[in-house]
Amino acid sequence: MTNQGLSISAALRKRFAEARRVVVLTGAGVSAESGVPTFRGGGQSAVWKGMPFDKISSAAMLERNLAEVWEWFDYRRGVIEKIEPNAAHRALARWQERFEDFTLVTQNVDGLHQAAGSRDVIELHGNLWRARCMSCRRKYDLRDRESEASRTYACADCGSYLRPDVVLFGEIVPGGAFERAAAAAARCELCFVVGTSALVYPAAGLPEVAKAAGAYVIEVNPERTPLSDLCDACVQGKAGEVLPLFC
Ligand code: OAD
Ligand code: ZN
């Protein structure tokens, strides 16, 4: 394992230039430079009305107090609404044009990859801008201010409550998303792990899948994580400063 500092070695650059199949896994750190608070580390921990995020963002809370869960998600959307993608999101949007086979997998629910121009993003944890009916599972775009459902959080079809279309603590990642991500990881040559503490599974298992299948794994994070030892290279720096150095 090598530690690269803030420049990218010629060897890493060559790997990047020659790769055809690339997978990138991102976490909250990729949005940190846009001003989105991360969940862990960095001094700020996400607390809402005295409740840690893993309590307010939980399946148990959904049953106990749906209104409060919505208040927390409304607050998060309010924060993200004013925020722009950063240099890391923009670099990743450019990368999709460069490689024969490129898959962007994110744990983030902020929609900033798409705002930067990334297409077909695999969103393992859902999206803050979507709601879904708790009975019939119909999905709603909360950006659509015209729709009554986005104001009342009641389903237009069946009248049941809507919930955020986001994976909460105590819930499993929706079927299909992880499988597609794992298939891409198993066939990639180069795998980037960017801005994630790599503590939450199954997402954190993707670099392990890539590594086991023979890929070269590069971590981009100012800090070390439980995955650092598995990685072939760790570039210790901010995503918005490091990713644009590759091309
Ligand atoms: P975390 O908040 O756990 O970790 C953020 C990571 O980003 C840390 O390792 C930081 O060192 C790193 N970081 C901070 N600033 C950075 C920067 N400018 N550039 C690069 N890295 C930076 O966030 P996640 O790993 O994404 O799940 O958390 C995983 C999941 O835990 C989230 O998706 C969320 C949470 O529970 C759900 O909501 C289901
Ligand atoms: Zn419904």
Side-chain angles (χ1 to χ4, degrees):
M1 208 202 68
T2 48
N3 227 326
Q4 303 290 328
L6 235 198
S7 63
I8 304 294
S9 69
L12 278 193
R13 238 188 274 267
K14 185 162 182 280
R15 281 196 182 270
F16 185 86
E18 289 173 356
R20 287 162 303 157
R21 298 181 302 280
V22 175
V23 167
V24 180
L25 170 68
T26 66
V30 86
S31 295
E33 288 154 87
S34 292
V36 183
T38 56
F39 297 94
R40 303 172 187 85
Q44 304 159 298
S45 54
V47 172
W48 168 250
K49 292 187 173 177
M51 264 181 283
F53 71 89
D54 52 347
K55 194 146 174 243
I56 180 73
S57 291
S58 69
M61 196 64 194
L62 203 64
E63 283 180 19
R64 204 177 316 133
N65 196 339
L66 178 63
E68 195 133 58
V69 172
W70 269 121
E71 219 185 296
W72 154 242
F73 277 90
D74 290 347
Y75 164 77
R76 290 175 70 187
R77 283 203 315 282
V79 170
I80 282 155
E81 203 162 24
K82 301 179 193 82
I83 277 174
E84 303 276 326
N86 64 52
H89 299 109
R90 290 194 296 273
L92 293 172
R94 289 195 300 276
W95 289 11
Q96 79 196 341
E97 315 299 342
R98 255 191 94 97
F99 301 103
E100 208 176 285
D101 182 349
F102 179 79
T103 307
L104 178 56
V105 186
T106 190
Q107 299 167 84
N108 299 344
V109 295
D110 55 29
L112 288 175
H113 283 305
Q114 290 89 337
S118 285
R119 299 180 302 269
D120 304 325
V121 182
I122 300 180
E123 295 180 311
L124 293 176
H125 294 164
N127 193 304
L128 273 181
W129 298 99
R130 271 195 323 263
R132 73 165 189 268
C133 173
M134 289 171 85
S135 300
C136 73
R137 303 182 69 85
R138 177 172 165 187
K139 302 215 178 188
Y140 291 88
D141 181 353
L142 296 173
R143 283 192 168 103
D144 179 5
R145 307 267 184 210
E146 300 293 292
S147 117
E148 197 179 320
S150 8
R151 290 193 306 271
T152 58
Y153 299 138
C155 179
D157 283 349
C158 74
S160 296
Y161 293 120
L162 303 186
R163 57 161 285 171
D165 194 22
V166 163
V167 177
L168 303 174
F169 279 85
E171 295 182 327
I172 53 167
V173 167
F178 181 76
E179 286 71 14
R180 276 186 296 133
R187 66 175 187 263
C188 76
E189 297 161 290
L190 190 56
C191 173
F192 284 86
V193 192
V194 186
T196 174
S197 60
L199 291 168
V200 176
Y201 278 79
L206 290 172
E208 293 166 359
V209 170
K211 179 76 182 177
Y216 190 88
V217 182
I218 304 177
E219 178 170 71
V220 179
N221 197 312
E223 288 169 29
R224 291 184 64 79
T225 75
L227 278 183
S228 300
D229 284 337
L230 169 123
C231 293
D232 297 289
C234 296
V235 187
Q236 280 189 296
K238 294 181 175 180
E241 293 169 7
V242 173
L243 297 184
L245 298 176
F246 279 92
C247 65

